[in-house]
Amino acid sequence: MTHPRTSPATPGADTAVDPLTDHAADTLTDHATGTGPRPAAGPSDPAPATTSPGTTSPGNTPPGTTTLAAATPAELRDHVTAGLDDPARGWLRRALDEAAAHPGTHGPISVWELRIAEAGRRCGPEHADAARVLILHAARADAEALSRVYYQGTGAERRAVLYALPHLVPGPEGLPLVEDALRTNDTRLLTAAVGPYAARHLDAHQWRHAVLKCLFTGVPVDAVADLDRRAEGDTELARMLTDYAAERTAAGRTVPAELHRVLTLTDPPATPSAPAADHG
Protein backbone atom coordinates (compact mmCIF):
# COMPACT_ATOMS: atom_id res chain seq x y z
CA MET A 1 0.00 0.00 0.00
CA THR A 2 1.27 3.46 -0.86
CA HIS A 3 0.72 5.90 1.97
CA PRO A 4 0.36 9.65 1.66
CA ARG A 5 2.83 12.12 3.03
CA THR A 6 1.14 14.17 5.71
CA SER A 7 1.83 17.71 6.71
CA PRO A 8 0.17 19.79 9.41
CA ALA A 9 -3.05 21.28 8.15
CA THR A 10 -3.85 24.84 9.06
CA PRO A 11 -7.43 24.92 10.47
CA GLY A 12 -9.69 26.83 8.15
CA ALA A 13 -6.82 27.44 5.70
CA ASP A 14 -8.71 26.34 2.59
CA THR A 15 -12.31 26.37 1.49
CA ALA A 16 -12.36 23.10 -0.40
CA VAL A 17 -15.69 21.49 -1.14
CA ASP A 18 -16.58 18.85 1.41
CA PRO A 19 -16.38 15.52 -0.44
CA LEU A 20 -19.21 14.17 1.69
CA THR A 21 -21.76 16.98 1.36
CA ASP A 22 -20.64 19.07 -1.62
CA HIS A 23 -21.05 22.24 0.46
CA ALA A 24 -18.28 24.78 0.74
CA ALA A 25 -16.78 24.78 4.23
CA ASP A 26 -17.12 27.87 6.41
CA THR A 27 -13.68 29.17 7.33
CA LEU A 28 -14.47 30.62 10.76
CA THR A 29 -12.35 29.14 13.53
CA ASP A 30 -13.72 27.64 16.73
CA HIS A 31 -11.66 29.46 19.35
CA ALA A 32 -12.53 26.90 22.01
CA THR A 33 -10.73 24.10 20.19
CA GLY A 34 -8.45 25.88 17.76
CA THR A 35 -10.17 24.06 14.94
CA GLY A 36 -12.34 25.25 12.09
CA PRO A 37 -14.55 25.59 10.26
CA ARG A 38 -17.77 26.26 12.17
CA PRO A 39 -20.79 28.51 11.77
CA ALA A 40 -20.76 31.73 13.79
CA ALA A 41 -22.63 31.50 17.07
CA GLY A 42 -26.04 33.08 17.17
CA PRO A 43 -27.63 35.07 19.98
CA SER A 44 -29.12 31.94 21.58
CA ASP A 45 -25.97 29.90 21.12
CA PRO A 46 -23.20 31.80 22.91
CA ALA A 47 -19.66 31.27 21.72
CA PRO A 48 -17.44 29.39 24.16
CA ALA A 49 -15.41 31.54 26.48
CA THR A 50 -11.73 31.70 25.71
CA THR A 51 -8.68 31.89 27.91
CA SER A 52 -5.07 32.53 27.13
CA PRO A 53 -3.11 29.48 25.96
CA GLY A 54 -2.11 27.30 28.85
CA THR A 55 -4.45 28.95 31.36
CA THR A 56 -7.67 27.74 32.92
CA SER A 57 -10.11 29.64 35.06
CA PRO A 58 -10.44 27.85 38.44
CA GLY A 59 -13.68 25.89 38.60
CA ASN A 60 -14.59 26.79 35.02
CA THR A 61 -13.00 23.94 33.08
CA PRO A 62 -15.74 22.69 30.76
CA PRO A 63 -16.16 18.92 30.78
CA GLY A 64 -14.64 17.29 27.73
CA THR A 65 -16.43 15.33 25.07
CA THR A 66 -15.77 12.03 26.84
CA THR A 67 -17.21 13.36 30.09
CA LEU A 68 -20.35 14.74 28.49
CA ALA A 69 -21.06 11.61 26.49
CA ALA A 70 -19.92 8.92 28.91
CA ALA A 71 -20.15 10.25 32.48
CA THR A 72 -23.02 9.17 34.68
CA PRO A 73 -25.51 11.89 35.59
CA ALA A 74 -24.14 11.92 39.16
CA GLU A 75 -20.56 12.44 37.95
CA LEU A 76 -21.62 15.14 35.53
CA ARG A 77 -23.69 16.94 38.16
CA ASP A 78 -20.79 16.93 40.63
CA HIS A 79 -18.50 18.40 37.99
CA VAL A 80 -20.92 21.11 36.90
CA THR A 81 -22.13 22.26 40.30
CA ALA A 82 -18.55 22.62 41.50
CA GLY A 83 -17.99 25.31 38.88
CA LEU A 84 -21.25 27.25 39.23
CA ASP A 85 -21.89 30.19 41.51
CA ASP A 86 -24.73 30.02 44.04
CA PRO A 87 -27.49 31.52 41.83
CA ALA A 88 -26.65 29.24 38.91
CA ARG A 89 -26.37 26.21 41.20
CA GLY A 90 -29.79 26.97 42.65
CA TRP A 91 -31.30 27.41 39.19
CA LEU A 92 -29.90 24.09 38.00
CA ARG A 93 -31.16 22.28 41.09
CA ARG A 94 -34.68 23.64 40.53
CA ALA A 95 -34.53 22.85 36.80
CA LEU A 96 -33.56 19.24 37.50
CA ASP A 97 -36.27 18.86 40.14
CA GLU A 98 -38.87 20.20 37.68
CA ALA A 99 -37.70 17.86 34.95
CA ALA A 100 -37.82 14.86 37.26
CA ALA A 101 -41.30 15.79 38.52
CA HIS A 102 -42.72 16.45 35.05
CA PRO A 103 -40.92 14.20 32.55
CA GLY A 104 -42.10 13.62 29.02
CA THR A 105 -44.38 16.05 27.24
CA HIS A 106 -46.97 18.26 28.93
CA GLY A 107 -48.84 20.60 26.59
CA PRO A 108 -47.24 22.25 23.56
CA ILE A 109 -43.91 22.43 25.36
CA SER A 110 -42.58 20.88 28.55
CA VAL A 111 -41.23 23.00 31.38
CA TRP A 112 -37.88 21.21 31.11
CA GLU A 113 -37.60 22.23 27.45
CA LEU A 114 -37.89 25.85 28.55
CA ARG A 115 -35.10 25.27 31.06
CA ILE A 116 -32.90 23.81 28.31
CA ALA A 117 -33.39 27.03 26.35
CA GLU A 118 -32.41 29.07 29.44
CA ALA A 119 -29.29 27.08 30.33
CA GLY A 120 -26.80 29.24 28.44
CA ARG A 121 -28.00 32.41 30.14
CA ARG A 122 -28.28 30.82 33.58
CA CYS A 123 -25.14 28.67 33.69
CA GLY A 124 -22.84 30.42 31.22
CA PRO A 125 -21.32 28.96 28.05
CA GLU A 126 -18.72 26.94 29.98
CA HIS A 127 -21.38 24.79 31.67
CA ALA A 128 -24.44 25.12 29.45
CA ASP A 129 -23.89 21.91 27.45
CA ALA A 130 -23.51 19.84 30.61
CA ALA A 131 -26.52 21.50 32.27
CA ARG A 132 -28.68 20.69 29.25
CA VAL A 133 -27.52 17.07 29.25
CA LEU A 134 -28.42 16.80 32.95
CA ILE A 135 -31.89 18.23 32.31
CA LEU A 136 -32.47 15.71 29.51
CA HIS A 137 -31.42 12.91 31.89
CA ALA A 138 -33.71 14.19 34.65
CA ALA A 139 -36.63 14.41 32.21
CA ARG A 140 -35.96 10.85 31.06
CA ALA A 141 -36.32 12.09 27.49
CA ASP A 142 -37.01 9.31 25.01
CA ALA A 143 -36.15 9.26 21.30
CA GLU A 144 -39.29 11.20 20.38
CA ALA A 145 -38.64 13.96 22.92
CA LEU A 146 -34.97 14.16 21.97
CA SER A 147 -35.90 14.49 18.31
CA ARG A 148 -38.27 17.34 19.10
CA VAL A 149 -35.62 19.20 21.10
CA TYR A 150 -33.02 18.57 18.41
CA TYR A 151 -35.02 19.74 15.41
CA GLN A 152 -36.55 22.73 17.18
CA GLY A 153 -33.41 23.74 19.06
CA THR A 154 -30.34 25.84 18.55
CA GLY A 155 -26.94 24.39 17.76
CA ALA A 156 -26.14 24.29 21.47
CA GLU A 157 -29.35 22.41 22.26
CA ARG A 158 -28.66 19.96 19.44
CA ARG A 159 -25.22 19.24 20.89
CA ALA A 160 -26.77 18.42 24.25
CA VAL A 161 -29.18 15.97 22.63
CA LEU A 162 -26.31 14.20 20.86
CA TYR A 163 -24.29 13.99 24.08
CA ALA A 164 -27.32 12.56 25.92
CA LEU A 165 -28.16 9.88 23.34
CA PRO A 166 -25.86 7.10 24.64
CA HIS A 167 -27.61 6.92 28.01
CA LEU A 168 -31.19 7.72 26.99
CA VAL A 169 -31.72 5.76 23.78
CA PRO A 170 -30.55 2.13 23.91
CA GLY A 171 -31.55 1.32 20.32
CA PRO A 172 -30.92 2.91 16.92
CA GLU A 173 -33.92 5.28 17.06
CA GLY A 174 -31.63 8.27 17.53
CA LEU A 175 -29.59 7.64 14.40
CA PRO A 176 -31.44 10.23 12.27
CA LEU A 177 -30.15 12.91 14.65
CA VAL A 178 -26.56 11.73 14.30
CA GLU A 179 -26.93 11.53 10.53
CA ASP A 180 -28.30 15.07 10.42
CA ALA A 181 -25.39 16.41 12.48
CA LEU A 182 -22.89 14.64 10.24
CA ARG A 183 -24.24 16.57 7.26
CA THR A 184 -23.17 19.88 8.80
CA ASN A 185 -19.80 21.60 8.91
CA ASP A 186 -20.25 22.78 12.52
CA THR A 187 -17.23 21.27 14.28
CA ARG A 188 -18.88 21.39 17.71
CA LEU A 189 -21.93 19.53 16.43
CA LEU A 190 -19.75 17.00 14.61
CA THR A 191 -17.72 16.42 17.77
CA ALA A 192 -20.90 15.60 19.67
CA ALA A 193 -22.18 13.38 16.85
CA VAL A 194 -19.20 11.00 16.72
CA GLY A 195 -19.41 9.92 20.36
CA PRO A 196 -20.37 6.55 21.88
CA TYR A 197 -23.83 6.45 20.32
CA ALA A 198 -22.41 6.72 16.81
CA ALA A 199 -19.76 4.12 17.59
CA ARG A 200 -22.49 1.76 18.75
CA HIS A 201 -25.05 2.25 16.00
CA LEU A 202 -23.57 3.69 12.78
CA ASP A 203 -23.04 1.03 10.14
CA ALA A 204 -19.59 0.62 8.60
CA HIS A 205 -20.30 2.83 5.59
CA GLN A 206 -21.72 5.70 7.64
CA TRP A 207 -18.98 5.43 10.25
CA ARG A 208 -16.19 5.61 7.66
CA HIS A 209 -17.70 8.75 6.19
CA ALA A 210 -17.99 10.24 9.68
CA VAL A 211 -14.26 9.71 10.21
CA LEU A 212 -13.49 11.30 6.86
CA LYS A 213 -15.77 14.21 7.70
CA CYS A 214 -13.82 14.82 10.92
CA LEU A 215 -10.56 14.92 8.99
CA PHE A 216 -12.03 17.32 6.43
CA THR A 217 -13.42 19.76 8.97
CA GLY A 218 -10.56 19.61 11.47
CA VAL A 219 -12.40 17.80 14.26
CA PRO A 220 -9.71 15.94 16.26
CA VAL A 221 -10.05 12.20 15.71
CA ASP A 222 -9.79 11.74 19.48
CA ALA A 223 -13.46 12.78 19.47
CA VAL A 224 -14.38 9.63 17.50
CA ALA A 225 -15.47 7.10 20.09
CA ASP A 226 -14.09 3.56 19.77
CA LEU A 227 -11.87 4.63 16.87
CA ASP A 228 -9.12 2.06 17.47
CA ARG A 229 -11.47 -0.91 17.54
CA ARG A 230 -13.63 0.09 14.59
CA ALA A 231 -10.70 1.13 12.37
CA GLU A 232 -8.68 -2.05 12.97
CA GLY A 233 -8.45 -4.14 9.82
CA ASP A 234 -10.80 -1.83 7.89
CA THR A 235 -9.29 -1.98 4.41
CA GLU A 236 -12.13 0.04 2.90
CA LEU A 237 -11.45 2.89 5.33
CA ALA A 238 -7.77 2.68 4.39
CA ARG A 239 -8.68 2.96 0.70
CA MET A 240 -10.92 5.97 1.32
CA LEU A 241 -8.25 7.73 3.36
CA THR A 242 -5.58 7.10 0.74
CA ASP A 243 -7.84 8.32 -2.08
CA TYR A 244 -8.78 11.44 -0.12
CA ALA A 245 -5.13 12.22 0.59
CA ALA A 246 -4.24 11.73 -3.09
CA GLU A 247 -7.01 14.10 -4.17
CA ARG A 248 -5.83 16.82 -1.80
CA THR A 249 -2.21 16.37 -2.82
CA ALA A 250 -3.12 16.59 -6.51
CA ALA A 251 -5.02 19.81 -5.80
CA GLY A 252 -2.02 21.31 -4.00
CA ARG A 253 -3.70 21.20 -0.58
CA THR A 254 -2.29 19.88 2.67
CA VAL A 255 -3.22 16.45 3.94
CA PRO A 256 -4.63 16.53 7.51
CA ALA A 257 -1.89 15.45 9.89
CA GLU A 258 -4.22 13.01 11.68
CA LEU A 259 -5.04 11.11 8.51
CA HIS A 260 -1.89 9.01 8.75
CA ARG A 261 -2.68 8.20 12.36
CA VAL A 262 -6.07 6.78 11.38
CA LEU A 263 -4.53 4.98 8.41
CA THR A 264 -2.07 3.31 10.76
CA LEU A 265 -4.94 2.00 12.87
CA THR A 266 -6.40 0.15 9.87
CA ASP A 267 -3.31 -2.07 9.53
CA PRO A 268 -0.59 -1.24 12.10
CA PRO A 269 2.05 -3.87 11.10
CA ALA A 270 1.93 -2.95 7.41
CA THR A 271 1.86 0.84 7.79
CA PRO A 272 5.23 2.60 7.67
CA SER A 273 5.92 5.76 9.63
CA ALA A 274 4.76 8.97 8.01
CA PRO A 275 7.56 10.65 6.00
CA ALA A 276 8.81 13.88 7.49
CA ALA A 277 7.13 17.00 6.16
CA ASP A 278 9.12 19.08 3.71
CA HIS A 279 10.03 22.33 5.43
CA GLY A 280 12.10 23.64 2.53
Side-chain angles (χ1 to χ4, degrees):
M1 181 185 297
T2 301
H3 299 285
R5 186 180 75 175
T6 59
S7 56
T10 302
D14 64 59
T15 55
V17 173
D18 183 341
L20 306 182
T21 63
D22 292 334
H23 294 307
D26 189 335
T27 57
L28 292 175
T29 299
D30 185 341
H31 298 292
T33 62
T35 61
R38 68 166 178 83
S44 59
D45 186 7
T50 59
T51 57
S52 300
T55 65
T56 303
S57 301
N60 287 332
T61 305
T65 302
T66 301
T67 301
L68 283 170
T72 66
E75 292 169 339
L76 194 55
R77 185 168 181 170
D78 287 345
H79 179 95
V80 174
T81 55
L84 296 175
D85 59 20
D86 287 340
R89 193 178 298 117
W91 177 87
L92 180 59
R93 184 178 61 254
R94 291 190 296 275
L96 296 178
D97 289 345
E98 286 177 333
H102 303 285
T105 304
H106 297 272
I109 188 168
S110 302
V111 64
W112 55 265
E113 293 180 63
L114 297 175
R115 302 298 173 252
I116 285 176
E118 293 176 10
R121 177 165 53 87
R122 297 287 191 169
C123 298
E126 300 91 345
H127 301 292
D129 278 0
R132 292 184 179 105
V133 171
L134 285 170
I135 293 170
L136 289 169
H137 276 292
R140 302 188 292 282
D142 59 13
E144 181 180 354
L146 291 170
S147 295
R148 184 176 62 253
V149 173
Y150 181 91
Y151 287 115
Q152 295 179 359
T154 65
E157 291 158 20
R158 292 183 175 200
R159 287 198 306 272
V161 168
L162 294 168
Y163 284 132
L165 278 175
H167 291 295
L168 293 175
V169 182
E173 296 84 2
L175 270 178
L177 309 183
V178 174
E179 293 165 354
D180 181 83
L182 290 174
R183 287 191 288 268
T184 76
N185 282 325
D186 182 335
T187 58
R188 292 174 296 174
L189 203 60
L190 289 170
T191 298
V194 293
Y197 190 83
R200 190 183 308 155
H201 294 292
L202 281 180
D203 64 30
H205 176 76
Q206 292 173 310
W207 185 82
R208 292 178 189 122
H209 280 276
V211 172
L212 198 62
K213 186 65 173 275
C214 288
L215 291 169
F216 176 81
T217 57
V219 171
V221 295
D222 283 339
V224 181
D226 217 7
L227 175 65
D228 291 13
R229 182 188 66 81
R230 291 207 60 168
E232 184 177 3
D234 193 335
T235 56
E236 177 60 16
L237 176 60
R239 183 198 64 76
M240 291 170 65
L241 293 171
T242 303
D243 288 351
Y244 177 52
E247 290 170 5
R248 290 188 66 87
T249 300
R253 299 191 178 100
T254 56
V255 175
E258 290 193 302
L259 185 145
H260 189 85
R261 173 187 167 190
V262 180
L263 192 58
T264 300
L265 293 174
T266 65
D267 188 11
T271 308
S273 300
D278 183 1
H279 298 290

